[in-house]
Amino acid sequence: MKGIIQQIESFGTLDGPGIRLVVFFRGCPLRCLYCHNPETWHGNGGEEKSVEEILAIYNKNKAFYSKGGITATGGEPMVQIDFLTELFEKAKKSGIHTCLDTSGAVFNRNNAEIFKKTEKLLQFTDLVMLDIKHIDPEKHLALTGKSNKNILDFAKFLSEKGVPTTVRHVIVPKITDGEEDLLNLGRFIGGLKTVKSLDVLAYHTLGVHKYENLGLPYPLEGTPQTSKEKAIRAKEIILRGIYEVRKK
């Protein structure tokens, strides 16, 4: 089996604990307005890689990853769930920490095949970094082009299965920074049992040049970057929502 890979970053430091080998998968069902990897949207292109080839890259620099591991990101890794599962299963057999960076958009509890494959994948997943784009259903649809129903259900499923989870949320001015939305996000997170940390990320425009290279208009042209102070303030509001639920 081979996966369609956009690129592999040898020394990732922001994609899970420690220094990590970060594998960027191609393919994604979402079209987030602030996406900074639009080149990964489609499954075609990229480069075919086998699990053995990826693990060989890991083993070449194994000494650097003693407190790290392998992170699958994208794009959306779960689009290639069979290859992803094989990668994580063989990594775990070698004692490698596995981290899945996902939106959870592929999950569907009502699809027996997807549900079964997701259960198997999670057996070999040490940490899930779940990117919740927006808590409000209509605003999520406007932001990503898809419903957040399965995404929020995936978060609940991770909680049911006892999978350690980090929730990520990007703060975009006038889109994801509303106080009531942030509180509701916190209230939702507060009901999950396995969330170990919360990453609130400031919106940036570092990926704009990629749209230019692809000949695509940038959807958020003119939207200012989020300051660090605003991101910190947003995190405080989300935490307030979490505490509100957990103190009951």
Side-chain angles (χ1 to χ4, degrees):
M1 189 182 301
K2 291 197 173 184
I4 309 300
I5 305 303
Q6 176 63 29
Q7 68 183 67
I8 296 177
E9 182 180 331
S10 298
F11 297 98
T13 58
L14 301 174
D15 303 276
I19 299 174
R20 310 187 68 81
L21 185 76
V22 185
V23 184
F24 290 80
F25 284 61
R26 286 189 67 98
C28 185
L30 304 183
R31 292 296 179 267
C32 302
L33 298 182
Y34 58 76
C35 179
H36 58 274
N37 289 323
E39 73 279 12
T40 66
W41 286 346
H42 304 289
N44 55 328
E47 185 178 358
E48 289 191 351
K49 291 282 188 183
S50 68
V51 167
E52 287 70 25
E53 287 174 310
I54 293 173
L55 292 179
I57 296 172
Y58 179 92
N59 289 325
K60 184 178 179 180
N61 299 299
K62 188 174 181 178
F64 292 97
Y65 304 131
S66 60
K67 295 183 180 179
I70 292 178
T71 295
T73 186
E76 172 49 65
M78 290 181 70
V79 167
Q80 301 184 55
I81 193 167
D82 293 331
F83 178 78
L84 173 63
T85 301
E86 182 181 322
L87 173 63
F88 275 16
E89 182 175 7
K90 291 185 176 179
K92 289 305 300 172
K93 287 180 180 178
S94 297
I96 300 171
H97 182 277
T98 56
C99 176
L100 172 61
D101 181 7
T102 180
S103 71
V106 175
F107 180 73
N108 187 338
R109 197 184 291 261
N110 297 318
N111 183 309
E113 182 180 5
I114 292 177
F115 185 80
K116 185 177 180 179
K117 288 184 176 183
T118 304
E119 281 192 310
K120 183 177 179 181
L121 169 64
L122 294 181
Q123 292 177 22
F124 311 110
T125 305
D126 292 310
L127 174 67
V128 172
M129 294 194 300
L130 180 62
D131 191 356
I132 299 181
K133 315 290 184 176
H134 212 301
I135 194 65
D136 181 271
E138 293 184 5
K139 293 176 183 177
H140 187 280
L141 182 62
L143 176 61
T144 71
K146 296 288 184 180
S147 166
N148 66 358
K149 180 180 177 181
N150 287 337
I151 293 170
L152 300 183
D153 193 34
F154 183 61
K156 295 175 183 177
F157 186 64
L158 293 173
S159 180
E160 293 166 13
K161 290 294 181 179
V163 181
T165 304
T166 291
V167 171
R168 285 181 155 184
H169 185 64
V170 179
I171 301 301
V172 185
K174 298 183 178 180
I175 297 179
T176 64
D177 60 348
E179 182 167 346
E180 192 60 29
D181 289 325
L182 294 172
L183 277 172
N184 285 335
L185 175 59
R187 291 163 182 151
F188 174 77
I189 295 171
L192 304 174
K193 300 176 182 178
T194 57
V195 174
K196 304 301 181 184
S197 60
L198 170 67
D199 289 344
V200 177
L201 310 173
Y203 162 74
H204 61 73
T205 57
L206 298 178
V208 172
H209 70 282
K210 295 182 179 180
Y211 288 80
E212 296 171 354
N213 293 339
L214 293 169
L216 298 173
Y218 183 62
L220 295 182
E221 185 69 40
T223 300
Q225 297 189 110
T226 303
S227 68
K228 183 178 179 180
E229 291 73 23
K230 286 187 177 181
I232 291 173
R233 174 59 179 156
K235 184 172 185 177
E236 291 172 350
I237 296 172
I238 297 172
L239 289 172
R240 195 195 320 158
I242 293 174
Y243 297 147
E244 178 183 312
V245 169
R246 293 188 174 177
K247 71 181 181 182
K248 291 181 180 179

